Amino acid sequence: MSVYTDLLGQASSEFKDQVSRQKIEAFLKAIGHGGSNSEVPLIAPPTFATTCRKGEFELFTKLGIPLARVLHAEQEYHYKTEIREGDELRYQTKLGHCAEKKAPSGALTFLRFDTPVRIVREGVEQVAVESRTTIVVRG
Amino acid sequence: MLHKGQEIKHEPCSLISQDQLKAYAEASGDPNPIHLDEEVAKKHGLPGVIAHGMLSMAFLTSRAQAIGRDLGAGWKWDTVQTRFKNMTFLGDQISVGGSVRDVTDAEITVDLQCKNQRGEITTTGVVRFKPV
């Protein structure tokens, strides 16, 4: 049991973001892949779906969890199709699981957030990536 | 084509710098101050600013992308699962390598790790490719 058990299934707002060439290029540069890119349309790198964590951050606020106490523990991506320049991203995050573990430093709470990231391309909406983010809240 | 047990040699990624963490925080939209502000990080019991776990996952998946390119058009990404086991600090030099766990007609599974310059494993990852 965790203080968050009653909150399982809590959902964030629905978010929308436009994937521009500039956003992908900035992301590529930040992960050490600078340089020119002639690819058209530009394909986002595999971890680009991490830009879709606004729902998770909203839920931290809702659950009263200070961000500075949060560490990323695990991340899973299940890929359906690639994200690319020109796509619209749509996503909503839900609290999918919670557990508590005792550690020498005190109680640790593990929370898993589930975020299916959908894309809208030429009017067609489909899931691009299923994201599962497990974070640990340090006591 | 890969074979079971094949070693994937460790290759270095970029050195973790303050500029990179700032650029990554902006590009990824992660506002957690423990990646940017030394004072906040120490106030919350950390030895100093730590790198985003997702930056290590980006290094790891970049390597997996190269493996995927070598596999050719007959294979596609299916899943990536990572565990952030140890923290990465400013000035750390991360390298990525690993081995091929299994190769079948239905799936190729590759284990990858991020290691720091002290040889400690910071992130582990399992990448699965499926036939198209």
Side-chain angles (χ1 to χ4, degrees), chain A residues 53 56 72 74-75 111-113 131-135:
Chain A
R53 290 179 70 193
E56 188 189 317
H72 207 149
E74 292 180 21
Q75 179 65 47
L111 302 176
R112 195 192 75 215
F113 296 95
S131 167
R132 284 184 165 193
T133 304
T134 303
I135 59 99

Side-chain angles (χ1 to χ4, degrees), chain A residues 138, chain B residues 34 38-39 41-50 87 89:
Chain A
R138 295 177 309 132
Chain B
I34 60 173
E38 186 86 10
E39 209 173 300
K42 285 185 172 166
K43 193 178 148 197
H44 287 85
L46 299 169
V49 163
I50 61 166
M87 295 175 196
F89 299 98

Side-chain angles (χ1 to χ4, degrees), chain A residues 23 26-27 29-33 44-48 50-53 57 66-80 138, chain B residues 14 20 23-24 27-34 40 44-46 50 54-55 57-59 61-62 65 77-84 87:
Chain A
K23 279 185 190 168
F27 195 92
K29 195 176 170 199
I31 63 173
H33 287 259
T47 57
F48 189 79
T50 194
T51 62
C52 302
R53 290 179 70 193
F57 298 136
L67 205 49
R69 281 175 48 208
V70 169
L71 291 178
H72 207 149
E74 292 180 21
Q75 179 65 47
E76 282 183 41
Y77 287 130
H78 297 252
Y79 298 96
K80 311 290 181 193
R138 295 177 309 132
Chain B
S14 50
Q20 182 166 33
Y24 188 79
S28 67
D30 186 337
N32 197 330
I34 60 173
V40 174
H44 287 85
L46 299 169
I50 61 166
M54 289 305 298
L55 181 57
M57 188 175 182
F59 295 154
T61 53
S62 293
Q65 267 187 308
W77 283 78
D78 184 59
T79 59
V80 181
Q81 296 167 286
T82 50
R83 274 191 181 179
F84 307 110
M87 295 175 196

